[in-house]
PDB file of all heavy atoms in Angstrom:
ATOM      1  N   VAL A 455       0.844  -1.213   0.000  1.00 91.00           N
ATOM      2  CA  VAL A 455       0.000   0.000   0.000  1.00 91.00           C
ATOM      3  C   VAL A 455       0.872   1.254   0.000  1.00 91.00           C
ATOM      4  O   VAL A 455       0.576   2.235  -0.680  1.00 91.00           O
ATOM      5  CB  VAL A 455      -0.959  -0.013   1.212  1.00 91.00           C
ATOM      6  CG1 VAL A 455      -1.583   1.360   1.424  1.00 91.00           C
ATOM      7  CG2 VAL A 455      -2.051  -1.057   1.006  1.00 91.00           C
ATOM      8  N   ARG A 456       1.993   1.204   0.731  1.00 88.00           N
ATOM      9  CA  ARG A 456       2.853   2.396   0.803  1.00 88.00           C
ATOM     10  C   ARG A 456       3.706   2.587  -0.437  1.00 88.00           C
ATOM     11  O   ARG A 456       4.081   3.710  -0.746  1.00 88.00           O
ATOM     12  CB  ARG A 456       3.726   2.317   2.068  1.00 88.00           C
ATOM     13  CG  ARG A 456       2.923   2.677   3.305  1.00 88.00           C
ATOM     14  CD  ARG A 456       3.616   2.268   4.608  1.00 88.00           C
ATOM     15  NE  ARG A 456       2.822   2.689   5.752  1.00 88.00           N
ATOM     16  CZ  ARG A 456       1.759   2.063   6.210  1.00 88.00           C
ATOM     17  NH1 ARG A 456       1.353   0.958   5.618  1.00 88.00           N
ATOM     18  NH2 ARG A 456       1.091   2.529   7.252  1.00 88.00           N
ATOM     19  N   THR A 457       4.020   1.491  -1.144  1.00 90.00           N
ATOM     20  CA  THR A 457       4.856   1.634  -2.346  1.00 90.00           C
ATOM     21  C   THR A 457       4.012   1.786  -3.614  1.00 90.00           C
ATOM     22  O   THR A 457       4.459   2.432  -4.559  1.00 90.00           O
ATOM     23  CB  THR A 457       5.798   0.423  -2.516  1.00 90.00           C
ATOM     24  OG1 THR A 457       5.028  -0.787  -2.519  1.00 90.00           O
ATOM     25  CG2 THR A 457       6.809   0.361  -1.391  1.00 90.00           C
ATOM     26  N   GLU A 458       2.816   1.225  -3.626  1.00 91.00           N
ATOM     27  CA  GLU A 458       2.003   1.252  -4.845  1.00 91.00           C
ATOM     28  C   GLU A 458       0.934   2.341  -4.831  1.00 91.00           C
ATOM     29  O   GLU A 458       0.226   2.531  -5.821  1.00 91.00           O
ATOM     30  CB  GLU A 458       1.366  -0.123  -5.076  1.00 91.00           C
ATOM     31  CG  GLU A 458       2.406  -1.212  -5.331  1.00 91.00           C
ATOM     32  CD  GLU A 458       1.794  -2.597  -5.522  1.00 91.00           C
ATOM     33  OE1 GLU A 458       0.707  -2.669  -6.132  1.00 91.00           O
ATOM     34  OE2 GLU A 458       2.404  -3.583  -5.064  1.00 91.00           O
ATOM     35  N   THR A 459       0.765   3.035  -3.696  1.00 87.00           N
ATOM     36  CA  THR A 459      -0.116   4.208  -3.638  1.00 87.00           C
ATOM     37  C   THR A 459       0.668   5.332  -2.950  1.00 87.00           C
ATOM     38  O   THR A 459       1.754   5.124  -2.443  1.00 87.00           O
ATOM     39  CB  THR A 459      -1.413   3.949  -2.842  1.00 87.00           C
ATOM     40  OG1 THR A 459      -1.115   3.964  -1.435  1.00 87.00           O
ATOM     41  CG2 THR A 459      -2.054   2.625  -3.202  1.00 87.00           C
ATOM     42  N   SER A 460       0.085   6.528  -2.943  1.00 83.00           N
ATOM     43  CA  SER A 460       0.748   7.678  -2.295  1.00 83.00           C
ATOM     44  C   SER A 460       0.043   8.053  -0.997  1.00 83.00           C
ATOM     45  O   SER A 460       0.048   9.217  -0.593  1.00 83.00           O
ATOM     46  CB  SER A 460       0.750   8.870  -3.259  1.00 83.00           C
ATOM     47  OG  SER A 460       1.362   8.532  -4.467  1.00 83.00           O
ATOM     48  N   ILE A 461      -0.563   7.053  -0.340  1.00 82.00           N
ATOM     49  CA  ILE A 461      -1.406   7.356   0.819  1.00 82.00           C
ATOM     50  C   ILE A 461      -0.647   7.992   1.979  1.00 82.00           C
ATOM     51  O   ILE A 461      -1.216   8.735   2.769  1.00 82.00           O
ATOM     52  CB  ILE A 461      -2.159   6.092   1.302  1.00 82.00           C
ATOM     53  CG1 ILE A 461      -3.301   6.483   2.228  1.00 82.00           C
ATOM     54  CG2 ILE A 461      -1.201   5.109   1.967  1.00 82.00           C
ATOM     55  CD1 ILE A 461      -4.294   5.391   2.495  1.00 82.00           C
ATOM     56  N   GLY A 462       0.657   7.740   2.094  1.00 75.00           N
ATOM     57  CA  GLY A 462       1.414   8.282   3.221  1.00 75.00           C
ATOM     58  C   GLY A 462       1.959   9.677   2.999  1.00 75.00           C
ATOM     59  O   GLY A 462       2.606  10.237   3.877  1.00 75.00           O
ATOM     60  N   THR A 463       1.695  10.256   1.829  1.00 74.00           N
ATOM     61  CA  THR A 463       2.259  11.575   1.534  1.00 74.00           C
ATOM     62  C   THR A 463       1.241  12.673   1.783  1.00 74.00           C
ATOM     63  O   THR A 463       0.038  12.441   1.763  1.00 74.00           O
ATOM     64  CB  THR A 463       2.730  11.658   0.075  1.00 74.00           C
ATOM     65  OG1 THR A 463       1.601  11.433  -0.780  1.00 74.00           O
ATOM     66  CG2 THR A 463       3.787  10.616  -0.213  1.00 74.00           C
ATOM     67  N   GLY A 464       1.732  13.875   2.005  1.00 71.00           N
ATOM     68  CA  GLY A 464       0.847  15.025   2.205  1.00 71.00           C
ATOM     69  C   GLY A 464       0.505  15.236   3.665  1.00 71.00           C
ATOM     70  O   GLY A 464       0.078  14.326   4.357  1.00 71.00           O
ATOM     71  N   ALA A 465       0.712  16.469   4.135  1.00 64.00           N
ATOM     72  CA  ALA A 465       0.461  16.795   5.546  1.00 64.00           C
ATOM     73  C   ALA A 465      -1.016  16.717   5.876  1.00 64.00           C
ATOM     74  O   ALA A 465      -1.854  17.177   5.106  1.00 64.00           O
ATOM     75  CB  ALA A 465       0.980  18.199   5.830  1.00 64.00           C
ATOM     76  N   VAL A 466      -1.331  16.130   7.038  1.00 70.00           N
ATOM     77  CA  VAL A 466      -2.737  15.992   7.430  1.00 70.00           C
ATOM     78  C   VAL A 466      -2.996  16.567   8.818  1.00 70.00           C
ATOM     79  O   VAL A 466      -3.993  16.258   9.453  1.00 70.00           O
ATOM     80  CB  VAL A 466      -3.197  14.514   7.358  1.00 70.00           C
ATOM     81  CG1 VAL A 466      -3.357  14.078   5.918  1.00 70.00           C
ATOM     82  CG2 VAL A 466      -2.247  13.605   8.100  1.00 70.00           C
ATOM     83  N   SER A 467      -2.090  17.399   9.315  1.00 77.00           N
ATOM     84  CA  SER A 467      -2.339  18.158  10.547  1.00 77.00           C
ATOM     85  C   SER A 467      -1.838  19.571  10.301  1.00 77.00           C
ATOM     86  O   SER A 467      -1.031  19.804   9.395  1.00 77.00           O
ATOM     87  CB  SER A 467      -1.604  17.537  11.749  1.00 77.00           C
ATOM     88  OG  SER A 467      -0.208  17.728  11.612  1.00 77.00           O
ATOM     89  N   ILE A 468      -2.308  20.520  11.110  1.00 85.00           N
ATOM     90  CA  ILE A 468      -1.908  21.923  10.919  1.00 85.00           C
ATOM     91  C   ILE A 468      -0.392  22.077  11.084  1.00 85.00           C
ATOM     92  O   ILE A 468       0.263  22.765  10.292  1.00 85.00           O
ATOM     93  CB  ILE A 468      -2.651  22.844  11.910  1.00 85.00           C
ATOM     94  CG1 ILE A 468      -4.152  22.877  11.577  1.00 85.00           C
ATOM     95  CG2 ILE A 468      -2.075  24.246  11.892  1.00 85.00           C
ATOM     96  CD1 ILE A 468      -4.492  23.473  10.235  1.00 85.00           C
ATOM     97  N   SER A 469       0.166  21.403  12.094  1.00 88.00           N
ATOM     98  CA  SER A 469       1.612  21.534  12.327  1.00 88.00           C
ATOM     99  C   SER A 469       2.419  20.936  11.173  1.00 88.00           C
ATOM    100  O   SER A 469       3.401  21.528  10.714  1.00 88.00           O
ATOM    101  CB  SER A 469       2.002  20.885  13.654  1.00 88.00           C
ATOM    102  OG  SER A 469       1.567  19.548  13.691  1.00 88.00           O
ATOM    103  N   SER A 470       2.016  19.743  10.693  1.00 86.00           N
ATOM    104  CA  SER A 470       2.756  19.139   9.583  1.00 86.00           C
ATOM    105  C   SER A 470       2.562  19.945   8.299  1.00 86.00           C
ATOM    106  O   SER A 470       3.483  20.052   7.478  1.00 86.00           O
ATOM    107  CB  SER A 470       2.346  17.678   9.367  1.00 86.00           C
ATOM    108  OG  SER A 470       0.974  17.562   9.085  1.00 86.00           O
ATOM    109  N   ALA A 471       1.363  20.542   8.120  1.00 86.00           N
ATOM    110  CA  ALA A 471       1.113  21.380   6.944  1.00 86.00           C
ATOM    111  C   ALA A 471       1.996  22.625   6.968  1.00 86.00           C
ATOM    112  O   ALA A 471       2.504  23.064   5.933  1.00 86.00           O
ATOM    113  CB  ALA A 471      -0.362  21.780   6.886  1.00 86.00           C
ATOM    114  N   ALA A 472       2.200  23.209   8.159  1.00 91.00           N
ATOM    115  CA  ALA A 472       3.059  24.391   8.285  1.00 91.00           C
ATOM    116  C   ALA A 472       4.485  24.055   7.864  1.00 91.00           C
ATOM    117  O   ALA A 472       5.131  24.810   7.122  1.00 91.00           O
ATOM    118  CB  ALA A 472       3.034  24.910   9.719  1.00 91.00           C
ATOM    119  N   VAL A 473       4.991  22.918   8.328  1.00 92.00           N
ATOM    120  CA  VAL A 473       6.360  22.516   7.981  1.00 92.00           C
ATOM    121  C   VAL A 473       6.453  22.159   6.504  1.00 92.00           C
ATOM    122  O   VAL A 473       7.423  22.511   5.825  1.00 92.00           O
ATOM    123  CB  VAL A 473       6.818  21.332   8.862  1.00 92.00           C
ATOM    124  CG1 VAL A 473       8.176  20.811   8.417  1.00 92.00           C
ATOM    125  CG2 VAL A 473       6.860  21.756  10.329  1.00 92.00           C
ATOM    126  N   GLU A 474       5.421  21.477   5.980  1.00 87.00           N
ATOM    127  CA  GLU A 474       5.431  21.116   4.561  1.00 87.00           C
ATOM    128  C   GLU A 474       5.432  22.366   3.684  1.00 87.00           C
ATOM    129  O   GLU A 474       6.171  22.446   2.696  1.00 87.00           O
ATOM    130  CB  GLU A 474       4.213  20.248   4.236  1.00 87.00           C
ATOM    131  CG  GLU A 474       4.231  19.702   2.815  1.00 87.00           C
ATOM    132  CD  GLU A 474       3.093  18.754   2.533  1.00 87.00           C
ATOM    133  OE1 GLU A 474       3.166  17.591   2.945  1.00 87.00           O
ATOM    134  OE2 GLU A 474       2.110  19.188   1.903  1.00 87.00           O
ATOM    135  N   MET A 475       4.614  23.349   4.066  1.00 90.00           N
ATOM    136  CA  MET A 475       4.568  24.589   3.295  1.00 90.00           C
ATOM    137  C   MET A 475       5.910  25.320   3.368  1.00 90.00           C
ATOM    138  O   MET A 475       6.399  25.853   2.373  1.00 90.00           O
ATOM    139  CB  MET A 475       3.437  25.498   3.795  1.00 90.00           C
ATOM    140  CG  MET A 475       3.233  26.732   2.912  1.00 90.00           C
ATOM    141  SD  MET A 475       1.873  27.779   3.471  1.00 90.00           S
ATOM    142  CE  MET A 475       0.480  26.900   2.794  1.00 90.00           C
ATOM    143  N   ALA A 476       6.518  25.330   4.554  1.00 93.00           N
ATOM    144  CA  ALA A 476       7.827  25.974   4.714  1.00 93.00           C
ATOM    145  C   ALA A 476       8.856  25.308   3.805  1.00 93.00           C
ATOM    146  O   ALA A 476       9.639  25.989   3.130  1.00 93.00           O
ATOM    147  CB  ALA A 476       8.271  25.896   6.169  1.00 93.00           C
ATOM    148  N   GLN A 477       8.834  23.988   3.755  1.00 90.00           N
ATOM    149  CA  GLN A 477       9.785  23.262   2.925  1.00 90.00           C
ATOM    150  C   GLN A 477       9.582  23.579   1.445  1.00 90.00           C
ATOM    151  O   GLN A 477      10.555  23.712   0.687  1.00 90.00           O
ATOM    152  CB  GLN A 477       9.650  21.756   3.171  1.00 90.00           C
ATOM    153  CG  GLN A 477      10.739  20.938   2.485  1.00 90.00           C
ATOM    154  CD  GLN A 477      10.589  19.448   2.748  1.00 90.00           C
ATOM    155  OE1 GLN A 477       9.479  18.936   2.788  1.00 90.00           O
ATOM    156  NE2 GLN A 477      11.704  18.763   2.929  1.00 90.00           N
ATOM    157  N   MET A 478       8.327  23.713   1.038  1.00 87.00           N
ATOM    158  CA  MET A 478       8.032  24.058  -0.352  1.00 87.00           C
ATOM    159  C   MET A 478       8.571  25.450  -0.700  1.00 87.00           C
ATOM    160  O   MET A 478       9.064  25.684  -1.798  1.00 87.00           O
ATOM    161  CB  MET A 478       6.518  24.016  -0.594  1.00 87.00           C
ATOM    162  CG  MET A 478       5.930  22.616  -0.628  1.00 87.00           C
ATOM    163  SD  MET A 478       4.124  22.613  -0.492  1.00 87.00           S
ATOM    164  CE  MET A 478       3.653  23.724  -1.813  1.00 87.00           C
ATOM    165  N   LYS A 479       8.505  26.357   0.262  1.00 91.00           N
ATOM    166  CA  LYS A 479       8.899  27.749   0.007  1.00 91.00           C
ATOM    167  C   LYS A 479      10.417  27.924  -0.025  1.00 91.00           C
ATOM    168  O   LYS A 479      10.942  28.725  -0.786  1.00 91.00           O
ATOM    169  CB  LYS A 479       8.313  28.683   1.073  1.00 91.00           C
ATOM    170  CG  LYS A 479       6.784  28.681   1.163  1.00 91.00           C
ATOM    171  CD  LYS A 479       6.166  29.404  -0.009  1.00 91.00           C
ATOM    172  CE  LYS A 479       4.644  29.469   0.123  1.00 91.00           C
ATOM    173  NZ  LYS A 479       4.028  30.068  -1.077  1.00 91.00           N
ATOM    174  N   VAL A 480      11.138  27.187   0.838  1.00 92.00           N
ATOM    175  CA  VAL A 480      12.582  27.442   0.971  1.00 92.00           C
ATOM    176  C   VAL A 480      13.448  26.334   0.362  1.00 92.00           C
ATOM    177  O   VAL A 480      14.656  26.508   0.240  1.00 92.00           O
ATOM    178  CB  VAL A 480      12.985  27.632   2.449  1.00 92.00           C
ATOM    179  CG1 VAL A 480      12.227  28.780   3.069  1.00 92.00           C
ATOM    180  CG2 VAL A 480      12.785  26.349   3.254  1.00 92.00           C
ATOM    181  N   GLN A 481      12.873  25.200   0.016  1.00 81.00           N
ATOM    182  CA  GLN A 481      13.582  24.062  -0.570  1.00 81.00           C
ATOM    183  C   GLN A 481      14.493  23.336   0.426  1.00 81.00           C
ATOM    184  O   GLN A 481      14.418  22.135   0.574  1.00 81.00           O
ATOM    185  CB  GLN A 481      14.408  24.500  -1.795  1.00 81.00           C
ATOM    186  CG  GLN A 481      13.594  25.160  -2.899  1.00 81.00           C
ATOM    187  CD  GLN A 481      12.486  24.266  -3.446  1.00 81.00           C
ATOM    188  OE1 GLN A 481      12.695  23.085  -3.622  1.00 81.00           O
ATOM    189  NE2 GLN A 481      11.301  24.827  -3.664  1.00 81.00           N
ATOM    190  N   ASN A 482      15.360  24.066   1.133  1.00 91.00           N
ATOM    191  CA  ASN A 482      16.345  23.417   2.003  1.00 91.00           C
ATOM    192  C   ASN A 482      16.202  23.905   3.448  1.00 91.00           C
ATOM    193  O   ASN A 482      16.779  24.919   3.831  1.00 91.00           O
ATOM    194  CB  ASN A 482      17.761  23.700   1.481  1.00 91.00           C
ATOM    195  CG  ASN A 482      18.826  22.971   2.299  1.00 91.00           C
ATOM    196  OD1 ASN A 482      18.505  22.097   3.105  1.00 91.00           O
ATOM    197  ND2 ASN A 482      20.069  23.348   2.103  1.00 91.00           N
ATOM    198  N   LEU A 483      15.458  23.150   4.249  1.00 93.00           N
ATOM    199  CA  LEU A 483      15.238  23.554   5.645  1.00 93.00           C
ATOM    200  C   LEU A 483      16.512  23.494   6.474  1.00 93.00           C
ATOM    201  O   LEU A 483      16.664  24.248   7.441  1.00 93.00           O
ATOM    202  CB  LEU A 483      14.174  22.646   6.284  1.00 93.00           C
ATOM    203  CG  LEU A 483      12.708  22.993   6.026  1.00 93.00           C
ATOM    204  CD1 LEU A 483      11.805  21.919   6.604  1.00 93.00           C
ATOM    205  CD2 LEU A 483      12.345  24.341   6.604  1.00 93.00           C
ATOM    206  N   ALA A 484      17.415  22.617   6.109  1.00 93.00           N
ATOM    207  CA  ALA A 484      18.650  22.467   6.884  1.00 93.00           C
ATOM    208  C   ALA A 484      19.471  23.754   6.905  1.00 93.00           C
ATOM    209  O   ALA A 484      20.226  24.005   7.850  1.00 93.00           O
ATOM    210  CB  ALA A 484      19.482  21.324   6.312  1.00 93.00           C
ATOM    211  N   ALA A 485      19.310  24.577   5.865  1.00 94.00           N
ATOM    212  CA  ALA A 485      20.094  25.820   5.779  1.00 94.00           C
ATOM    213  C   ALA A 485      19.399  27.001   6.452  1.00 94.00           C
ATOM    214  O   ALA A 485      19.960  28.101   6.508  1.00 94.00           O
ATOM    215  CB  ALA A 485      20.364  26.137   4.311  1.00 94.00           C
ATOM    216  N   CYS A 486      18.181  26.776   6.970  1.00 96.00           N
ATOM    217  CA  CYS A 486      17.388  27.881   7.534  1.00 96.00           C
ATOM    218  C   CYS A 486      17.570  28.008   9.044  1.00 96.00           C
ATOM    219  O   CYS A 486      17.716  27.014   9.751  1.00 96.00           O
ATOM    220  CB  CYS A 486      15.902  27.668   7.225  1.00 96.00           C
ATOM    221  SG  CYS A 486      15.498  27.808   5.483  1.00 96.00           S
ATOM    222  N   ARG A 487      17.514  29.256   9.502  1.00 96.00           N
ATOM    223  CA  ARG A 487      17.471  29.537  10.941  1.00 96.00           C
ATOM    224  C   ARG A 487      15.997  29.575  11.338  1.00 96.00           C
ATOM    225  O   ARG A 487      15.235  30.396  10.825  1.00 96.00           O
ATOM    226  CB  ARG A 487      18.158  30.865  11.235  1.00 96.00           C
ATOM    227  CG  ARG A 487      19.643  30.888  10.851  1.00 96.00           C
ATOM    228  CD  ARG A 487      20.183  32.309  10.808  1.00 96.00           C
ATOM    229  NE  ARG A 487      19.511  33.105   9.788  1.00 96.00           N
ATOM    230  CZ  ARG A 487      19.737  34.416   9.584  1.00 96.00           C
ATOM    231  NH1 ARG A 487      20.617  35.068  10.331  1.00 96.00           N
ATOM    232  NH2 ARG A 487      19.090  35.060   8.641  1.00 96.00           N
ATOM    233  N   VAL A 488      15.597  28.675  12.225  1.00 98.00           N
ATOM    234  CA  VAL A 488      14.174  28.505  12.561  1.00 98.00           C
ATOM    235  C   VAL A 488      13.924  28.909  14.014  1.00 98.00           C
ATOM    236  O   VAL A 488      14.726  28.581  14.905  1.00 98.00           O
ATOM    237  CB  VAL A 488      13.736  27.031  12.366  1.00 98.00           C
ATOM    238  CG1 VAL A 488      12.261  26.851  12.724  1.00 98.00           C
ATOM    239  CG2 VAL A 488      14.021  26.569  10.938  1.00 98.00           C
ATOM    240  N   ALA A 489      12.820  29.627  14.242  1.00 98.00           N
ATOM    241  CA  ALA A 489      12.390  29.966  15.610  1.00 98.00           C
ATOM    242  C   ALA A 489      10.967  29.471  15.818  1.00 98.00           C
ATOM    243  O   ALA A 489      10.122  29.591  14.928  1.00 98.00           O
ATOM    244  CB  ALA A 489      12.460  31.465  15.843  1.00 98.00           C
ATOM    245  N   ILE A 490      10.731  28.864  16.994  1.00 98.00           N
ATOM    246  CA  ILE A 490       9.369  28.439  17.373  1.00 98.00           C
ATOM    247  C   ILE A 490       9.000  29.190  18.636  1.00 98.00           C
ATOM    248  O   ILE A 490       9.719  29.101  19.647  1.00 98.00           O
ATOM    249  CB  ILE A 490       9.299  26.920  17.618  1.00 98.00           C
ATOM    250  CG1 ILE A 490       9.661  26.146  16.348  1.00 98.00           C
ATOM    251  CG2 ILE A 490       7.914  26.519  18.108  1.00 98.00           C
ATOM    252  CD1 ILE A 490       9.751  24.636  16.543  1.00 98.00           C
ATOM    253  N   ILE A 491       7.895  29.909  18.581  1.00 98.00           N
ATOM    254  CA  ILE A 491       7.424  30.661  19.757  1.00 98.00           C
ATOM    255  C   ILE A 491       6.305  29.853  20.404  1.00 98.00           C
ATOM    256  O   ILE A 491       5.251  29.633  19.800  1.00 98.00           O
ATOM    257  CB  ILE A 491       6.945  32.073  19.360  1.00 98.00           C
ATOM    258  CG1 ILE A 491       8.077  32.819  18.645  1.00 98.00           C
ATOM    259  CG2 ILE A 491       6.478  32.848  20.582  1.00 98.00           C
ATOM    260  CD1 ILE A 491       7.666  34.149  18.054  1.00 98.00           C
ATOM    261  N   GLY A 492       6.560  29.384  21.627  1.00 96.00           N
ATOM    262  CA  GLY A 492       5.629  28.498  22.320  1.00 96.00           C
ATOM    263  C   GLY A 492       6.294  27.156  22.558  1.00 96.00           C
ATOM    264  O   GLY A 492       7.215  26.766  21.827  1.00 96.00           O
ATOM    265  N   ALA A 493       5.841  26.437  23.588  1.00 95.00           N
ATOM    266  CA  ALA A 493       6.453  25.140  23.909  1.00 95.00           C
ATOM    267  C   ALA A 493       5.398  24.100  24.286  1.00 95.00           C
ATOM    268  O   ALA A 493       5.671  23.172  25.043  1.00 95.00           O
ATOM    269  CB  ALA A 493       7.465  25.307  25.047  1.00 95.00           C
ATOM    270  N   GLY A 494       4.193  24.245  23.734  1.00 91.00           N
ATOM    271  CA  GLY A 494       3.115  23.297  24.024  1.00 91.00           C
ATOM    272  C   GLY A 494       3.105  22.125  23.053  1.00 91.00           C
ATOM    273  O   GLY A 494       4.104  21.847  22.370  1.00 91.00           O
ATOM    274  N   LYS A 495       1.960  21.436  22.977  1.00 88.00           N
ATOM    275  CA  LYS A 495       1.835  20.226  22.154  1.00 88.00           C
ATOM    276  C   LYS A 495       2.099  20.525  20.676  1.00 88.00           C
ATOM    277  O   LYS A 495       2.809  19.779  19.992  1.00 88.00           O
ATOM    278  CB  LYS A 495       0.436  19.628  22.333  1.00 88.00           C
ATOM    279  CG  LYS A 495       0.216  18.363  21.523  1.00 88.00           C
ATOM    280  CD  LYS A 495      -1.204  17.845  21.669  1.00 88.00           C
ATOM    281  CE  LYS A 495      -1.425  16.633  20.771  1.00 88.00           C
ATOM    282  NZ  LYS A 495      -2.813  16.153  20.803  1.00 88.00           N
TER     283      LYS A 495
END
């Protein structure tokens, strides 16, 4: 199912969508300086 379909791809939570969108915008997250404001769930 994971190799023959794409069911595991695409963000399905707000937090994962935020990171996915960031990755789309900057291409290389490893080179970015990142700040997170807040320390909750």
Side-chain angles (χ1 to χ4, degrees):
V455 166
R456 283 165 178 79
T457 55
E458 296 178 37
T459 76
S460 304
I461 196 166
T463 60
V466 287
S467 70
I468 293 296
S469 55
S470 59
V473 174
E474 186 175 282
M475 187 178 279
Q477 188 180 38
M478 288 165 54
K479 300 287 183 185
V480 301
Q481 302 301 319
N482 184 12
L483 277 174
C486 293
R487 298 165 297 176
V488 180
I490 299 174
I491 303 173
K495 180 183 176 184

